């Protein structure tokens, strides 16, 4: 895979995974992606080799005890405590809080790289889905070095722990499959990174 193919593959997979982790499954942005995964179309288009592809496809297509929007609400919104919170500072901050020191470090990095973060509500910038979509945006705009820094310094240090707990506690076959696909995909990103992943202490 040459550099252009690598960037295209990473940007595509980051944008798709980011949208599925960030937007409600019945939203305008996520609904077509959910359809592609539930009917099996995703596998032919996924740019990386997929282990246990048949099992993942079955998971995406399976029905759960709750609807997909209900599962997404439980996993990402609440009102109950989230099983596996998708914000980096929950994992990287000693107090497991939102807007922790790691969020402030990410903000500083974004300022230094002239990256604006525009959201409709006051939420941390270090949401797993947001960071994936930011990685895609950086690559699509020719900012390869910044993408590598984002992954190595601000996403990959905590994402594997988040995904392991997310898979364990997702409770819906679609989201279990999504977590496993993200696990495999991020591992392949990491194997091709040109800079080492930062070694950060995790508190959860």
């Amino acid at each position: 895979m040459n550099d252009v193919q690598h960037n295209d593959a990473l940007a595509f997979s980051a944008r798709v995974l980011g949208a599925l982790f960030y937007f409600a499954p019945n939203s305008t942005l996520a609904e077509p992606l959910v359809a592609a995964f539930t009917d099996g179309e995703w596998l032919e288009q996924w740019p990386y080799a997929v282990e246990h592809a048949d099992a993942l496809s079955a998971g995406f297509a399976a029905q759960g005890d709750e609807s997909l929007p209900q599962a997404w609400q439980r996993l990402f919104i609440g009102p109950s405590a989230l099983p596996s919170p998708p914000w980096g500072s929950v994992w990287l901050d000693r107090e497991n809080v939102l807007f922790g020191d790691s969020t402030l470090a990410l903000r500083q990095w974004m300022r230094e790289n002239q990256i604006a973060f525009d959201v409709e509500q006051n939420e941390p910038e270090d949401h797993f889905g947001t960071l994936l979509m930011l990685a895609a945006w950086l690559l699509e705009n020719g900012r390869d070095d910044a993408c590598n820094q984002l992954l190595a310094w601000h996403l990959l240090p905590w994402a594997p722990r988040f995904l392991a707990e997310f898979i364990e506690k997702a409770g819906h076959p679609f989201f279990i499959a999504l977590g496993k696909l993200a696990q495999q995909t991020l591992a392949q990103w990491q194997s091709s990174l040109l800079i080492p992943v930062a070694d950060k202490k995790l508190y959860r």
Side-chain angles (χ1 to χ4, degrees):
M1 187 181 291
N2 62 36
D3 289 345
V4 173
Q5 291 171 324
H6 165 72
N7 286 0
D8 288 347
L10 201 158
F12 173 79
S13 55
R15 187 164 293 286
V16 170
L17 292 173
L20 289 171
F21 272 94
Y22 188 78
F23 297 111
N26 53 350
S27 67
T28 303
L29 289 170
E31 194 169 30
L33 298 175
V34 171
F37 277 86
T38 53
D39 66 15
E41 287 182 15
W42 70 278
L43 191 52
E44 292 183 3
Q45 301 177 40
W46 203 248
Y48 300 104
V50 179
E51 295 180 4
H52 311 298
D54 290 344
L56 286 186
S57 289
F60 282 123
Q63 298 293 315
D65 294 333
E66 57 192 340
S67 70
L68 205 53
Q70 288 171 334
W72 183 85
Q73 177 82 20
R74 173 176 55 81
L75 291 168
F76 294 103
I77 303 298
S80 301
L82 304 188
S84 183
W87 298 279
S89 64
V90 175
W91 307 87
L92 295 168
D93 190 281
R94 186 183 300 274
E95 304 299 325
N96 308 126
V97 295
L98 298 181
F99 297 103
D101 289 344
S102 63
T103 311
L104 301 180
L106 173 62
R107 284 182 178 176
Q108 178 63 29
W109 177 83
M110 292 173 70
R111 282 193 295 269
E112 292 170 355
N113 286 274
Q114 292 82 49
I115 299 169
F117 187 82
D118 185 23
V119 292
E120 296 180 358
Q121 52 194 355
N122 183 31
E123 66 175 329
E125 294 88 338
D126 57 351
H127 187 289
F128 181 71
T130 301
L131 293 180
L132 293 179
M133 291 186 285
L134 176 56
W137 180 85
L138 289 170
L139 285 177
E140 290 162 358
N141 286 275
R143 303 183 64 179
D144 300 18
D145 290 345
C147 179
N148 284 333
Q149 292 171 9
L150 177 70
L151 296 178
W153 300 347
H154 299 289
L155 178 64
L156 291 175
W158 62 274
R161 178 75 63 85
F162 157 70
L163 287 171
E165 190 162 316
F166 180 85
I167 292 165
E168 179 184 347
K169 299 179 178 179
H172 189 289
F174 182 95
F175 284 111
I176 293 171
L178 180 64
K180 290 180 177 179
L181 181 62
Q183 242 180 2
Q184 290 189 38
T185 303
L186 267 64
Q188 293 183 75
W189 294 354
Q190 183 167 340
S191 70
S192 62
L193 265 184
L194 300 179
I195 56 178
V197 173
D199 184 13
K200 297 185 179 183
K201 184 174 177 62
L202 299 178
Y203 291 95
R204 177 176 171 135

